[in-house]
Amino acid sequence: MIQGISAAKWSYVTRRVVDRGQMCLSGFPRKPQLGDLVAAKVTALGAHAHTEDVHGRSVSLYPGDILVGAYGNRYATDFFEGYLPEGTAVHLLTAGGLIGTVVSAHTRRDPPTELEVIGALTDHLGAVLSVEDFAIPTPAAAVPGLGTLVVLGSSMNAGKTTTMAAIVRGWRRAGLTAGAGKITGSGSGKDRWMYIDAGATAVLDFLDFGLPSTFGYPLERLRATMFGVRDGLVDQGAQAVALEIADGLLQTETAALATCLAGFADGIVLAVADALGASAGSDILAALDVPIRAVSGRVTASPLASREAAATTGIPVLSPAQLAGGAAVDLLIPTPATLNAAYGGTDDGCDVEGSPP
């Protein structure tokens, strides 16, 4: 093992990695693949002057630092669009340690932090290690007794995670054992800690299932992850489960997963920034025959916009404060989904053949 790699700054996407002392740093034994663990030197600071460590704490970066992260893609309409790199000159796509090449960025963002890949992390036999190698075992199929709510958004920054935390808080205040999971996105400690701080007794996300970021993975894998997160939360004792799907309903993976929610979700909470987002989002979900229980998110900061959203959709508009204050419990209305087989009954509307492994 090259001296210093054990003392490198290990980013959040490596939080499940164990036995660091047994790893080696090799050259470039294969073409980059999603999830590959790599070490890179910071060559120039940019938009990310820090990384999140394995606990989610913000750690300052300096030129010359060695960072351990994972290759991946990023889809963020208000930040970076990035993909697997082709060379050793790369970018830090997220503070969580996702590494790739930026191809577009929001105009208000600084240029990306620049890295130089030193090599791939391998085992003692020279096999490249991936986040995949540290995923949890697939949990047994299960459904929560009080139901599953899925939080979707009209776009990034519509208030999805704030809505999730409010739902969890409302359930915990009512004495329920709440499970919280994130199905898609890029690995970051921020959302996980928001769920925990709100009172979630069980938390899982896509990183637990071997994905440092979900953009670019096939729908079959994402669907299996969605079921795995729910099943795992139930296995950890959750009576009620809330799941967040990242980005907005027009994003490719989000749109595809939305077609899988009929028969899986007992209810949808749609987080939006404005009334137009509520109108368009509710129309999309209504066409998929999924039950929308409430609208929430940033729109609720404006009483006038909230009234617009309620008037155009006919759906209750609930603020995070209302959800945390008790309305989240009222959303747990039994539906046929809670009575279906463990993998959500039929796959009607979902563009995936067969059941998750």
Side-chain angles (χ1 to χ4, degrees):
M1 184 181 71
I2 292 180
Q3 183 178 6
I5 194 65
S6 60
K9 292 180 176 177
W10 292 69
S11 61
Y12 186 77
V13 295
T14 71
R15 69 174 172 82
R16 293 197 55 83
V17 174
V18 295
D19 296 329
R20 297 180 189 175
Q22 303 302 313
M23 296 177 183
C24 301
L25 185 61
S26 300
F28 304 96
R30 72 182 186 193
K31 184 178 180 180
Q33 296 182 16
L34 296 176
D36 282 356
L37 294 167
V38 295
K41 181 190 294 185
V42 178
T43 57
L45 294 177
H48 293 106
H50 71 282
T51 188
E52 292 178 353
D53 70 8
V54 295
H55 306 292
R57 185 180 78 83
S58 180
V59 178
S60 296
L61 291 174
Y62 297 90
D65 279 349
I66 303 300
L67 175 72
V68 179
Y71 283 139
N73 302 325
R74 187 181 187 191
Y75 183 107
T77 54
D78 69 349
F79 217 113
F80 293 147
E81 175 192 7
Y83 298 90
L84 277 174
E86 295 184 355
T88 59
V90 298
H91 300 132
L92 185 58
L93 301 182
T94 67
L98 197 66
I99 294 173
T101 299
V102 171
V103 299
S104 75
H106 195 284
T107 57
R108 75 170 182 266
R109 301 299 181 182
D110 290 333
T113 290
E114 298 176 8
L115 309 172
E116 181 71 24
V117 177
I118 299 170
L121 271 64
T122 65
D123 63 18
H124 68 286
L125 297 176
V128 175
L129 293 170
S130 169
V131 175
E132 299 260 6
D133 297 316
F134 303 95
I136 66 174
T138 301
V143 292
L146 297 180
T148 299
L149 292 184
V150 176
V151 177
L152 291 167
S154 58
S155 64
M156 288 192 69
N157 296 319
K160 295 183 293 294
T161 306
T162 300
T163 299
M164 277 279 295
I167 290 171
V168 169
R169 188 62 182 166
W171 289 347
R172 288 298 294 147
R173 290 182 65 182
L176 305 181
T177 302
K182 188 157 188 185
I183 308 306
T184 63
S186 298
S188 171
K190 177 174 65 67
D191 294 349
R192 181 181 178 87
W193 280 112
M194 281 191 68
Y195 302 161
I196 292 172
D197 290 347
T201 54
V203 176
L204 290 171
D205 63 20
F206 50 86
L207 186 57
D208 292 301
F209 290 82
L211 287 68
S213 170
T214 55
F215 180 41
Y217 281 89
L219 176 58
E220 292 89 344
R221 179 66 184 278
L222 300 181
R223 182 176 181 270
T225 299
M226 180 171 73
F227 280 91
V229 170
R230 182 204 61 185
D231 298 344
L233 293 171
V234 175
D235 182 62
Q236 294 181 31
Q239 297 172 294
V241 166
L243 303 175
E244 177 182 355
I245 298 178
D247 302 303
L249 281 168
L250 298 182
Q251 197 266 356
T252 304
E253 283 85 3
T254 303
L257 278 175
T259 69
C260 302
L261 294 178
F264 172 84
D266 296 288
I268 303 295
V269 178
L270 178 63
V272 301
D274 54 31
L276 184 59
S279 178
S282 62
D283 286 347
I284 290 171
L285 294 172
L288 298 176
D289 196 28
V290 293
I292 308 174
R293 294 281 184 237
V295 169
S296 190
R298 287 176 54 196
V299 68
T300 64
S302 166
L304 183 56
S306 295
R307 293 200 300 273
E308 286 182 349
T312 192
T313 64
I315 300 168
V317 177
L318 301 173
S319 69
Q322 289 173 310
L323 290 169
V329 177
D330 296 333
L331 300 181
L332 292 172
I333 301 172
T335 72
T338 58
L339 306 176
N340 280 354
Y343 281 114
T346 66
D347 291 328
D348 292 346
C350 184
D351 298 326
V352 179
E353 295 183 1
S355 297

